[in-house]
Every structure is written in C-alpha cells, then in structure tokens.
C-alpha cells in the first residue's frame, strides 16, 4: 500500500511513539477483519458451525496469521526494503532491477509487478465498502427496524469519507493510533469474555484440527479457504509502510498488540459458536453486551473509516508512483500538508474511486456478499508478492537452493491454495475486483505502449542531436539573449520543440539546455549525488538530466536552480519550450484501433507538463506537432 507520510523522521521519534503511530496507519485493514471473516466462513454458504468445524476453522485462522503475516511478511518480506520503502511498486522495482538484462524475464517481471498493482486497485475499492457495511450492519441486532437503514447510512459515511479527502488526513491522522489501540483492546476484551465461558476453544491451537477439518469437509473445506484468507486482509500494509515507521515499530506493534488482540477475538467468536451455533450469521456482534452495542457499532465505524482512509491514501500514492514510472497519464496532484510529503490528494482518482466504491455497495448491498468479491484481490496480491520476493532473494540476497525451494514451496502452496479457492467465488462476486484489475492493466499497458509509439514517430521524422549542432554551426542562426530549456526524452535525438523553433523562427538562445527528466523506477528517492548530470555539448548546447525517485515530488525549476552551473540558472530568466503534440489514429497497424482511441483520450486528458513538472506558465512556450499513430 503506500505513502502516508510522517511529521518527523524515524530517528527523531521514540520506538513506542512510532509503534503507536503504526498501530493506527498500518493495521486499520487487518484489525477490522474480525467484523466479517468468521461470519463469511460459517454464513449461509459456509460450513456448518459444528464443534470440529469451529475448531478447524480457528486452527486455520491461527496458523494463517502466524505463518503468512508473521512468518512471511513480518520476518521475511519486510527485509526487502527499497532504500527504506516498501509496497508492491517498491518490490516490483527491486525485482525488475534484479532481473535486468535477462530479456523476456525482465518483461515478465515488469508485467507481474503491474498485475500486483492492478489487483491492489481492486482491493482499494472493496475495502471501504465491506469494512463500513460490516460495521453498520451491527445496528440490525439492536432492532430489525435498522435493516432498511444500513445501506443509506453506509453510503453517507463513505460519501463523507471521499468528500473529506481534499482537506487531507493530517488532522484525523493524529487520532489514528490511539483510536485503533482502543479498538484492538476492545475486541480483545470481547474475546476474553467469551473465552472465559468456553476455554476449551484453545484446543484449536493443535494443528491437527486444521488437517482433520480439510480432510472431513473435502471440496467444501477447500472452498472455505476463500473465507479464511479474509483474516489476512491488510497484510500488505505491514510491508508497504516500512518507509514511514521502520521495521522495528511495526513488528513491535504487531507482535505485542495487534496479533494477540486479533487471536483473542477470533477465539472468542469461536467460543461463542461452540456454545451457540445458531449465531454464526453475526458472531462478532453477538459477543457484545446489548448495553454496549451502540457504542461498539460507533467504535467499529470509526475503525473502518480509518481502514478506508488508509487504503484511499495508499491508492493516491500508488497512482503517483505509476505516473512517475510512466505507466499512467499525468494527473493533478495536490499536497495537503506542508510537513508531510505523503499527504497528497488526486481529485480525478478520488472521483473515480468514489464512483467504484458506491457501485460496489449498490451492487452487492451486504458485507457477506462483498466478502465473496474481496478475497481474490487479497490472495492474488499475496501470490505475486511471493513470486517477486523469490526473484529478489535469488539475485540480490543470494539464497541457496534449499532455502529458495523451501520458501517457494511453502508459501507458493499456501498462497496458491488461497487464490484458487477464491477463484471458485467468481460467480459470487469475484469477477468484480478482477474486472477492476483488468481495466487498470489495460490502461497502464495502453499508456505505456502509446507513449513508446509516440517516441518512435517523433524519432522517425526527427534529427540526431549531434547532427543538429553541426548544422547549427554552419547556418549561424540569430542568437537571442538568455537561456532556453527544451524538455527531451532522449540524449540522442533533438527535441521537436527545438527543431520547430529553428524551422519557423530561425533563432536560437545564447544557451540551450536539453533537459531530460528521469523518473528513477528502481528507487523511491534519489540521493543528492545522483540528482543531476550535466554535459557540455559545445556551441551553447548543454544536456542535463534531473533524476527523481518514484516517491518524490517533481520540481524542475528547483532542480535547475540547485545545479552548480556558471552562470547560475535563475528561474526567472529561463524560457521553457515544450512540444504540445496532437495525436491522431489514422494508421491501422501495430495497435488495435480501440486502444489507440483510449490512448488518445488519456493523452488529451492528462495534466499538462507545465503543471506536472512545476514549470511557471509565464516562462513557457508550447510548440505543436501532429503525430499519427
């Protein structure tokens, strides 16, 4: 998941303070899973809540949390930090770097990383919907009259969540940690109160019950893994947020608070089902004393809003990374905090995400039906994480064969079983996140392919840079005072804006800077010694490269002013020349017609480069070129 920023560096904050902050930001999703996980396992289409089945499901939940979340993510995956950053994009960049120069394997690694990011977008739609719905559904236990109001109340809460995104989450972020701690302690207390009445539930710690459960229930038991995986939702967040909190605070918060609280609550729900099998429809809220039902619903709603806020912020960060890696069109990015780089807001993404979330609520209308759509995105992301980590472990960590095979077989089987079990739920709603992921993949691959075709067309009718400089010396065009900056995508080819300016105006500036803005796809941030590269090409021409990581804000004027250049590049004296290309689709080769139309639509609606690169409009000259794909 993603970048949510911190007000201070990790070194300036104590371990307990970071652990508390991590509790609020990192564990929002996984901490609200008890609202719907066991409900789905023993619901209308789940297994019967018999004594052995309850102990078997609890045993599976226990070892899923211990092996997948604690063993795989907390102890192993969190070691794969990309310059201190985590998440699917960071892991994909590490794997891509590890497989660089391996031909088709490099391309497959990139494609796999994109699939993981696309599944994350599907997860981002389902998480707010199922979390808020499951919290509000507790009102039905107070009185059946609330049943008709569950959907409208959930829609109003979700609408408010997306309306508040413009103001940023720094204010609510200050209460994330304490509120989530109260939630975890509350669900732990509920679990203890139920366990005291039926302590025999602890027999589920024996893994034999999990084995017997799978053996006795056969295919239905395997299919129920699609519900078991719901206890793992949000596991990716533990890895995604290491850049903000570090590994120690997250591990401390997980091992000392989140994991014990979740296990106590799940075992408490199991104890309730052992005593009252008829309450399998809503086991979480059945543990709550009637007098505390309304406060618990309110607390659960707050917790689910935190979980939803975290995934929405993560989506904004993921989209920004996709833009800077060249897989998504430029979009308007607003920074909502002066102190926190990760606090960003993307209006277009917020609108699309809101529409998709509302559609999912109206289509499925209950948390139980949404649960059928949820697991496939979660299990798919976990499986891709395992594959990418194997690539990193092979090439970067230099694991031995036995270690690689052991890790690959163990977690490949676990993640693969979860994913296949969720594929069985395609007719029940599993198609929804896959449809969202497929649409995201089409957009990303179309944009990438379209941009490559545009470059090919430009170079086909372009001029090599060294030849242009030689011809310029011969023609001796008029020279205007000042410095011109031409944005270029290649160190070999002259930018079209420069060619058009020479062709039509027959004039050059005294200094001409050919600027290439490089989005470093392998690092979230670029070190100062790698930020820039300058080459003097002679005759007043300079080639400059500015590098920005995929988690950094791109500010071209500031980058140029920071250069050691003589005389210094004053932003008020620079004139920027940018090509404003007009794209048409009259050709019928290389790419399907509908994908050309999609690319043209995305291109026309992308944020102008002048805004994306932070270029001041008064210093900008745009020169148009027609390109036929």
């Amino acid at each position: 998941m993603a970048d949510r920023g911190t007000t201070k560096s990790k070194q300036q904050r104590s371990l307990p303070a970071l652990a508390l902050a991590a509790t609020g930001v990192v564990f929002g999703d996984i901490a609200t899973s008890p609202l719907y996980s066991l409900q789905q396992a023993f619901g209308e289409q789940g297994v019967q809540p018999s004594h052995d089945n309850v102990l078997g499901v609890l045993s599976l939940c226990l070892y899923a949390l211990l092996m997948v979340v604690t063993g795989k993510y907390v102890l192993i995956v969190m070691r794969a930090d990309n310059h201190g950053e985590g998440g699917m994009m960071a892991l994909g960049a590490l794997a891509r770097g590890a497989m660089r120069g391996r031909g088709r394997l490099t391309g497959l690694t990139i494609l796999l990383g994109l699939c993981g990011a696309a599944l994350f977008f599907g997860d981002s739609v389902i998480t707010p919907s199922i979390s808020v719905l499951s919290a509000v559904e507790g009102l039905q236990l107070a009185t059946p009259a609330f049943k008709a109001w569950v959907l409208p109340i959930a829609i109003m809460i979700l609408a408010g969540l997306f309306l508040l995104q413009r103001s940023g989450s720094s204010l609510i972020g200050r209460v994330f940690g304490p509120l989530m701690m109260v939630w975890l302690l509350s669900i732990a207390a509920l679990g203890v109160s139920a366990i005291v009445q039926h302590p025999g539930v602890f027999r589920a710690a024996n893994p034999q019950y999990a084995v017997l459960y799978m053996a006795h229930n056969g295919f239905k038991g395997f299919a129920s893994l699609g519900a078991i995986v719901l206890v793992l939702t949000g596991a990716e967040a533990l890895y995604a947020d290491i850049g903000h909190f570090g590994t120690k605070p997250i591990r401390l918060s997980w091992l000392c608070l989140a994991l014990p609280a979740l296990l106590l609550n799940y075992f408490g729900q199991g104890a309730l089902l052992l005593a009252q099998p008829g309450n399998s429809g809503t086991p979480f809220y059945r543990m709550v004393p009637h007098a505390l039902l309304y406060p618990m619903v309110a607390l659960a709603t707050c917790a689910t809003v935190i979980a939803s806020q975290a995934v929405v912020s993560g989506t904004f960060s993921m989209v920004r990374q996709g833009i800077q890696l060249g897989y998504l069109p430029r979009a308007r990015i607003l920074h909502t905090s002066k102190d926190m780089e990760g606090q960003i807001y993307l209006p277009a993404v917020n609108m699309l995400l809101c529409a998709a979330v509302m559609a999912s609520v109206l289509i499925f209308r209950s948390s139980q039906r949404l649960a059928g759509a949820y697991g496939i995105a979660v299990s798919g992301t976990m499986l891709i994480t395992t594959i990418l980590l194997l690539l990193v472990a092979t090439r970067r960590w230099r694991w031995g064969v036995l270690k690689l095979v052991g890790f690959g077989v163990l977690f490949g089987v676990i993640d693969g079983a979860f994913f296949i079990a969720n594929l069985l739920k395609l007719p029940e709603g599993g198609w929804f996140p896959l449809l969202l992921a497929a649409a995201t993949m089409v957009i990303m691959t179309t944009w990438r392919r379209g941009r490559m075709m545009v470059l090919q067309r430009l170079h086909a009718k372009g001029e090599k840079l060294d030849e242009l400089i030689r011809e310029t010396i011969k023609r001796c065009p008029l020279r205007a005072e000042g410095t011109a900056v031409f944005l270029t995508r290649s160190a070999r080819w002259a930018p079209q804006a420069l060619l058009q300016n020479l062709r039509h105006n027959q004039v050059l500036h005294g200094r001409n800077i050919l600027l290439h803005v490089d989005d470093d796809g392998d690092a979230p941030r670029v070190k100062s010694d790698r930020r820039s590269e300058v080459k003097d090409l002679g005759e007043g021409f300079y080639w400059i490269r500015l590098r920005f990581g995929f988690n950094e804000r791109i500010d071209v004027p500031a980058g140029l002013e920071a250069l050691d250049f003589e005389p210094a590049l004053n932003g008020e004296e620079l004139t920027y020349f940018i090509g404003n290309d007009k794209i048409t689709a009259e050709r019928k080769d290389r790419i399907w017609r509908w994908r050309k139309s999609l690319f043209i639509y995305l291109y026309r609606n992308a944020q102008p480069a002048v805004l994306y690169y932070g270029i001041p409009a008064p210093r900008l000259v745009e020169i148009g070129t027609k390109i036929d794909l």
Side-chain angles (χ1 to χ4, degrees), residues 187-483:
I187 66 174
L190 289 176
V192 170
S193 66
I195 292 171
V196 168
Q197 301 177 34
H198 209 303
V201 72
F202 280 122
R203 283 181 291 177
N206 186 345
Q208 182 180 1
Y209 282 99
V211 176
L212 292 175
Y213 169 82
M214 296 299 293
H216 290 166
N217 287 280
F219 179 77
K220 196 167 187 178
F222 176 77
S224 69
L225 292 177
I228 304 299
V229 76
L230 296 179
V231 306
L232 307 176
T233 59
E236 287 285 335
L238 279 71
Y239 172 51
D241 284 301
I242 60 175
H244 308 298
F245 305 106
T247 57
K248 287 184 179 180
I250 294 175
R251 286 170 175 163
L252 177 66
S253 185
W254 171 252
L255 295 173
C256 296
L257 178 60
L259 177 61
L262 288 171
L263 290 177
L264 286 172
N265 189 266
Y266 284 126
F267 274 71
Q269 292 186 49
L272 176 74
L273 292 175
L274 289 176
Q276 306 171 31
N279 287 328
S280 60
T282 51
F284 178 85
Y285 280 113
R286 293 292 181 184
M287 291 192 300
V288 181
H290 192 270
L292 298 177
L293 183 59
Y294 288 114
M296 198 63 196
V297 170
L299 181 59
T301 303
C302 291
T304 56
V305 168
I306 290 175
S308 302
Q309 172 64 41
V311 79
V312 170
S313 300
T315 304
F316 292 159
S317 183
M318 185 75 80
V319 170
R320 180 177 70 168
Q321 294 174 9
I323 291 170
Q324 293 190 207
L325 290 171
Y327 290 102
L328 288 170
R330 295 185 300 268
R332 187 183 180 202
I333 300 175
L334 302 178
H335 292 259
T336 58
S337 173
K338 296 180 180 179
D339 304 314
M340 303 168 73
E341 172 64 20
Q343 293 289 338
I344 59 175
Y345 168 67
L346 284 75
V349 176
N350 189 64
M351 181 180 66
L352 291 172
L353 192 57
C354 179
V357 168
M358 294 303 179
S360 68
V361 171
L362 294 174
I363 290 172
F364 295 98
R365 307 183 73 84
S366 74
S367 62
Q368 189 156 357
R369 293 182 64 191
L370 268 168
Y374 197 16
I376 197 164
V378 176
S379 56
T381 304
M382 291 194 307
L383 181 59
I384 290 174
T385 297
T386 296
I387 297 172
L388 292 177
L389 189 72
L390 281 172
L391 297 178
V392 173
T394 302
R395 304 282 292 178
R396 286 180 174 265
W397 296 349
R398 304 294 181 183
W399 278 8
V401 175
L402 290 178
K403 200 172 183 180
L404 284 171
V405 171
F407 179 88
V409 170
L410 176 62
F411 291 106
V413 169
I414 293 174
D415 297 337
F418 280 136
F419 184 67
I420 294 172
N422 277 281
L423 286 178
L424 299 174
K425 298 194 292 185
L426 280 176
E428 302 171 21
W431 56 269
F432 187 72
L434 287 184
L435 180 64
L436 294 173
T440 304
M441 279 292 293
V442 168
I443 290 173
M444 289 193 292
T445 55
T446 298
W447 179 257
R448 184 73 169 182
R449 177 59 178 153
R451 293 296 295 164
M452 292 175 62
M453 291 183 66
V454 168
L455 287 177
Q456 290 173 2
R457 296 285 186 267
L458 287 173
H459 294 164
K461 59 180 180 180
E463 188 172 345
K464 291 183 179 179
L465 188 56
D466 53 355
E467 295 176 357
L468 172 68
I469 295 175
R470 286 197 299 268
E471 290 297 319
T472 300
I473 298 173
K474 296 178 181 178
R475 288 183 293 187
C476 297
L478 294 174
R479 292 274 185 155
E481 294 184 1
T483 302

Side-chain angles (χ1 to χ4, degrees), residues 43-254:
E44 296 177 1
Q45 299 179 353
V47 295
Q48 292 297 316
S50 65
H51 179 274
D52 288 348
N53 282 346
V54 169
L55 293 180
V57 167
L58 284 179
S59 187
L60 287 171
C61 292
L62 168 65
Y63 289 102
L65 287 169
L66 292 179
M67 296 178 67
V68 177
V69 182
T70 307
K72 174 183 166 183
Y73 282 95
V74 173
L75 299 181
I76 300 177
V77 176
M78 286 173 62
R79 291 176 52 205
D81 66 290
N82 188 340
H83 300 277
E85 295 290 335
M88 182 57 70
M89 284 288 188
L91 182 61
L94 279 177
R96 182 172 60 248
M99 302 304 293
R100 182 167 291 155
R102 309 273 297 186
R104 290 185 178 180
L105 287 177
T106 304
L108 289 174
T109 303
I110 294 173
L111 186 62
L112 196 62
L114 292 180
C115 288
L119 284 171
F120 173 80
F121 289 128
D123 187 5
S124 302
V125 172
I126 305 294
T127 295
S129 310
I130 191 173
S131 299
V132 173
L133 266 175
S134 61
V136 179
E137 283 170 352
L139 293 172
Q140 299 176 79
L141 295 182
T143 170
F146 273 117
K147 186 174 183 179
W149 288 95
V150 168
L151 205 61
I153 292 174
I155 288 175
M156 286 190 292
I157 292 172
L158 289 168
L161 172 70
F162 286 103
L163 286 173
L164 288 174
Q165 293 304 313
R166 181 179 291 273
S167 60
S169 59
S170 57
L171 177 61
I172 192 172
R174 286 194 284 270
V175 299
F176 274 9
L179 189 57
M180 191 54 65
M181 177 178 284
V182 171
W183 165 255
L184 287 169
L185 292 176
S186 298
I187 66 174
L190 289 176
V192 170
S193 66
I195 292 171
V196 168
Q197 301 177 34
H198 209 303
V201 72
F202 280 122
R203 283 181 291 177
N206 186 345
Q208 182 180 1
Y209 282 99
V211 176
L212 292 175
Y213 169 82
M214 296 299 293
H216 290 166
N217 287 280
F219 179 77
K220 196 167 187 178
F222 176 77
S224 69
L225 292 177
I228 304 299
V229 76
L230 296 179
V231 306
L232 307 176
T233 59
E236 287 285 335
L238 279 71
Y239 172 51
D241 284 301
I242 60 175
H244 308 298
F245 305 106
T247 57
K248 287 184 179 180
I250 294 175
R251 286 170 175 163
L252 177 66
S253 185
W254 171 252

Side-chain angles (χ1 to χ4, degrees), residues 547-598:
R547 296 185 179 91
F548 295 89
F550 58 75
N551 258 356
E552 290 186 289
R553 182 179 183 180
I554 296 179
D555 189 339
V556 165
L560 290 176
E561 289 183 6
L563 291 175
D564 185 12
F565 213 80
E566 288 294 337
L569 298 175
N570 187 337
E572 297 299 321
E573 299 176 357
L574 301 179
T575 302
Y576 294 87
F577 289 81
I578 295 179
N580 187 4
D581 305 323
K582 180 181 178 181
I583 310 296
T584 61
E586 298 175 2
R587 295 173 180 259
K588 297 182 180 179
D589 57 349
R590 294 194 182 183
I591 189 170
W592 294 336
R593 180 90 183 176
W594 67 268
R595 292 190 72 185
K596 289 184 180 181
S597 300
L598 174 60

